[in-house]
Each structure stands twice: as structure tokens, then as C-alpha cells.
Amino acid sequence: QSALTQPASVSGSPGQSITISCTGTSSDVGGYNYVSWYQQHPGKAPKLMIYDVSNRPSGVSNRFSGSKSGNTASLTISGLQAEDEADYYCSSYTSSSTPLVFGGGTKLTVL
Amino acid sequence: EVQLVESGGGLVQPGGSLRLSCAASGFTFSSYAMHWVRQAPGKGLEYVSAISSNGGSTYYANSVKGRFTISRDNSKNTLYLQMGSLRAEDMAVYYCARVLPSYVIDPWGQGTLVTVSS
């Protein structure tokens, strides 16, 4: 099954805000509020940043926020910091043969 | 502390087999579905397989269906992935992960590297 579509890369300067999109279909992103976002630093395991479209786990900075419109979910990081530089992946429940699908990942560069 | 520790990765020849294990601690293992997710070198995350909390339901990505088998032993708090007929494209870091409601993955293990090469 097809992965969710994310931009390959985004960049921003410290203090700025950036948004990463995650586009799917009505069978996944558009059909359910089960979108999660994960942060992955090089050589490390992914870390949950946002779940159920817009909820933040305990311990995750409120600079991270999520939203959804139609078949596209978005992750916004405000007040960019150097440590935000990482790869970001979205995931969604899907009604297809397997229950979960990931986005292709977005590399965030903090200039 | 919730912890997942994978083991069993290594070098295997094309066509060979390998069994990965994931030891869980810090939570009631038998209450949670579990996933295996892999990441090829320099590539993104790829869903591999899932198993329900009691082991009664399993799911596989098309790329591994018929070659991989997921299982679990709730008495040992351990998740397994039996991999067979391995191909070069199966080479990746394999992560074990706990599945929360809404198909949220948290936490992830540290991963174990599977290298397929002659």
C-alpha cells in the first residue's frame, strides 16, 4: 500500500515556525483522527511527538502542534531550536489490509 | 520504566532465516498489541507486522507476507519475528514497538540491525 506523502525536506531559522504536511486519502488520514507524528534523530529510535492529530504526550514541548484538514495532516513547530533538527514521520490508521501506514519522512534543517 | 529491547539481528545470507526477539518490561505486556517496523539504511519507516494482545490476530505488509511470522509469548513478555527467505531488500534496522489505542506507537525499542549479504 502507498505511503503517506510528506515533503522530503523543510528548513527554518532559529525562532521561526515551520509546518510539515502529510497527505493521504479518505481511507487513512481523511477518514480517521488517528494521525501521529514521530521525531527521529540520527542513529536513534523514533519518538512520539503528536497523537490523535493534535494531542501532545507528556513531556513534549508545546512548541509542537498538530492539525488536520481533509486528507492532509500537519505538524507545526514554533520557535525553532537547534535540537529540533531531525527527521519527522507521520503515521495513520488505515482501513486497508494492514492497520498502519507511514509517511516517507521529512528532514528538518535548522539553519 | 517501559522498555523494549530487541535482539537477534546480524548478518545472514540471501535466502536465509533469522529470528528477532523483543523483551518487554515495565508494563503489562499481555494487554497491548505490538508491531515490528523497519528502516532500511538511509530510508524511511516501513510497517512490517502487527499482532494483537492475545496473539489471535496478525497483520503483515505485502512485502513480507508469506516469508515472515510474528508471534508472542505473554508468559515471557517477549515478541518475536521469524524471518525467512531473506532478500537484500530486507536489510534494515528492525524496531519493536508497543501499540497504544488509536494505533499510536510508543515507545519504540532501540532497534536491531539485519544485514542480508553473501
Side-chain angles (χ1 to χ4, degrees), chain B residues 102-113:
Chain B
S102 307
Y103 298 90
V104 177
I105 298 180
D106 186 58
W108 301 62
Q110 87 287 353
T112 187
L113 177 62

Side-chain angles (χ1 to χ4, degrees), chain A residues 3-71:
Chain A
L4 306 175
T5 301
Q6 296 181 235
S9 63
V10 299
S11 63
S13 299
Q16 289 186 331
S17 295
I18 63 95
T19 297
I20 299 172
S21 61
C22 170
T23 301
T25 69
S26 58
S27 296
D28 39 65
V29 174
Y32 309 91
N33 289 324
Y34 295 155
V35 176
S36 298
W37 289 90
Y38 302 90
Q39 176 192 64
Q40 186 181 35
H41 287 108
K44 301 295 187 181
K47 174 188 174 185
L48 177 66
M49 304 302 285
I50 295 287
Y51 67 96
D52 292 356
V53 175
S54 59
N55 293 316
R56 264 188 323 275
S58 174
V60 171
S61 170
N62 59 9
R63 298 185 298 105
F64 291 82
S65 62
S67 63
K68 191 184 85 167
S69 178
N71 294 338

Side-chain angles (χ1 to χ4, degrees), chain A residues 74-89:
Chain A
S74 299
L75 172 71
T76 298
I77 309 173
S78 59
L80 269 180
Q81 299 179 1
E83 58 261 35
D84 299 332
E85 185 163 292
D87 294 325
Y88 291 85
Y89 295 90

Side-chain angles (χ1 to χ4, degrees), chain A residues 1 33-36 38 40 43-48 50-52 87 89 91-93 97-104, chain B residues 35 37 39 42-48 50 59-62 65 95 100-111:
Chain A
Q1 80 203 56
N33 289 324
Y34 295 155
V35 176
S36 298
Y38 302 90
Q40 186 181 35
K44 301 295 187 181
K47 174 188 174 185
L48 177 66
I50 295 287
Y51 67 96
D52 292 356
D87 294 325
Y89 295 90
S91 74
S92 174
Y93 170 77
S97 57
T98 52
L100 197 66
V101 63
F102 288 100
Chain B
H35 282 190
V37 178
Q39 187 170 34
K43 301 297 184 181
L45 301 173
E46 180 188 12
Y47 167 87
V48 174
Y59 305 89
Y60 299 94
N62 289 335
K65 199 172 294 183
Y95 293 102
L100 302 179
S102 307
Y103 298 90
V104 177
I105 298 180
D106 186 58
W108 301 62
Q110 87 287 353

Side-chain angles (χ1 to χ4, degrees), chain B residues 79-96:
Chain B
L79 175 72
Y80 303 101
L81 185 67
Q82 179 69 47
M83 304 185 296
S85 301
L86 282 163
R87 307 166 180 168
E89 55 264 36
D90 296 318
M91 186 162 64
V93 174
Y94 284 74
Y95 293 102
C96 155

